[in-house]
């Protein structure tokens, strides 16, 4: 089945530093990747949608200059949290959607294992 | 009104119990519906898709009522391993278009 590798699985960083999270599709090509954030006891909230080779689309309230997304290839998308602050501490998860010919009957949403970010 | 609303839970049940989760969604044009399971500090994993005719997978039965914009999940003969948070998920644009809208989740704890 479709596998998405996400790393790091957890990271602790100092306030003001930047953190890069990678999401890689291992056995399929992902034309679209979604980045979600989940605070404790809250639902997953979509932050942005990235399409390979074009700019990401950010949800309302998500600062595009703070959360930089790059989707330069069909197998790799990255999310960089710039100048991280304690309020950015959260669980970040990517979700990839295979190209049309690879999609299975549940429409192929595959999730990475998530990155738990703690900013101190 | 939130896009996807679920029972707040938590549900604490003994092994072998039958438990039902409910979910409502606000976008009447939504096309695809799912139940996901999320274990503590893990990513969500697809449990089952939900079809208009209702569908069953072993001990799990999902139902959809489009008129009421209501989705349900029934777990029979619950096991300790069923303990998790169950997420009601809607794809408002259907098929492989668009992103997934997640409910807040209902936590289930199955006790021996």
């Amino acid at each position: 089945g479709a596998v998405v590798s996400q790393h790091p699985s957890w990271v602790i960083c100092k306030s003001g530093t930047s953190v890069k999270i990678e999401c890689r599709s291992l056995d399929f090509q992902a034309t679209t990747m979604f980045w979600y954030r989940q605070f404790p006891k809250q639902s997953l909230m979509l932050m942005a949608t990235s399409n390979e080779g074009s700019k990401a689309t950010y949800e309302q309230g998500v600062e595009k200059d703070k959360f930089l997304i790059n989707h330069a290839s069909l197998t790799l998308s990255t999310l960089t949290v710039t100048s991280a602050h304690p309020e950015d501490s959260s669980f970040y998860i990517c979700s990839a959607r295979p190209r049309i010919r690879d999609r299975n009957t549940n429409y192929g949403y595959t999730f990475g294992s998530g990155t738990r970010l703690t900013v101190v | 009104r939130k896009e996807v609303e679920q029972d707040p839970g938590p549900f604490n049940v003994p092994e072998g119990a039958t438990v039902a989760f409910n979910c409502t969604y606000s976008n009447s044009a939504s096309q695809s519906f799912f139940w996901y399971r999320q274990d503590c500090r893990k990513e969500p994993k697809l449990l089952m898709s939900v079809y208009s005719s209702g569908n069953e997978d072993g001990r799990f039965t999902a139902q959809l009522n489009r008129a009421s914009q209501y989705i349900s999940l029934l777990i029979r003969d619950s096991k300790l391993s069923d303990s998790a948070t169950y997420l009601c998920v809607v794809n408002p644009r259907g098929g492989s278009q668009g992103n997934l809208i997640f409910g807040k989740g209902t936590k289930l704890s199955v006790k021996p």
Side-chain angles (χ1 to χ4, degrees):
Chain A
V3 175
V4 172
S5 174
Q6 181 175 348
H7 72 271
S9 56
W10 60 271
V11 59
I12 301 173
C13 70
K14 290 184 178 179
S15 187
T17 60
S18 295
V19 174
K20 180 186 279 190
I21 302 170
E22 288 191 354
C23 179
R24 196 179 295 271
S25 57
L26 298 185
D27 49 3
F28 67 97
Q29 293 180 321
T31 52
T32 302
M33 287 192 180
F34 303 98
W35 286 94
Y36 293 87
R37 178 169 56 183
Q38 185 178 33
F39 292 106
K41 299 187 178 181
Q42 299 295 315
S43 57
L44 274 76
M45 296 298 295
L46 181 69
M47 297 176 66
T49 302
S50 71
N51 293 295
E52 182 265 337
S54 63
K55 289 184 179 180
T57 303
Y58 289 81
E59 296 299 302
Q60 192 173 10
V62 178
E63 300 174 57
K64 60 181 180 181
D65 294 330
K66 181 172 180 62
F67 298 99
L68 301 179
I69 290 174
N70 184 285
H71 192 162
S73 77
L74 284 169
T75 59
L76 177 64
S77 177
T78 61
L79 167 68
T80 301
V81 183
T82 61
S83 186
H85 290 283
E87 57 266 30
D88 297 324
S89 300
S90 187
F91 190 49
Y92 293 85
I93 307 178
C94 63
S95 174
R97 186 178 72 187
R99 290 168 65 88
I100 294 175
R101 64 173 178 271
D102 299 329
R103 291 171 186 158
N104 61 25
T105 55
N106 69 4
Y107 304 110
Y109 287 93
T110 300
F111 286 84
S113 55
T115 297
R116 190 160 301 279
L117 170 64
T118 302
V119 185
V120 298
Chain B
R1 183 181 174 185
K2 293 181 181 175
E3 291 190 79
V4 179
E5 291 199 72
Q6 294 184 241
D7 285 345
F11 283 40
N12 298 306
V13 304
E15 263 188 299
T18 295
V19 60
F21 301 138
N22 304 316
C23 170
T24 57
Y25 59 95
S26 61
N27 185 346
S28 60
S30 297
Q31 297 295 317
S32 302
F33 310 90
F34 311 92
W35 282 101
Y36 275 72
R37 169 192 170 130
Q38 186 175 25
D39 292 287
C40 188
R41 295 177 173 263
K42 298 288 187 181
E43 76 278 17
K45 292 186 177 176
L46 180 67
L47 181 64
M48 57 197 303
S49 301
V50 187
Y51 303 115
S52 296
S53 55
N55 48 300
E56 186 174 309
D57 182 3
R59 298 182 292 109
F60 300 85
T61 301
Q63 292 191 313
L64 167 65
N65 184 321
R66 286 187 183 270
S68 302
Q69 294 175 215
Y70 170 91
I71 307 161
S72 67
L73 175 68
L74 185 75
I75 305 176
R76 292 181 300 278
D77 189 24
S78 52
K79 312 289 184 190
L80 296 176
S81 56
D82 293 334
S83 297
T85 296
Y86 290 82
L87 307 173
C88 178
V89 183
V90 173
N91 183 341
R93 292 175 61 186
S96 53
Q97 303 298 314
N99 67 79
L100 302 178
I101 309 296
F102 287 81
K104 218 172 180 178
T106 302
K107 186 174 181 180
L108 172 66
S109 180
V110 181
K111 305 292 187 184

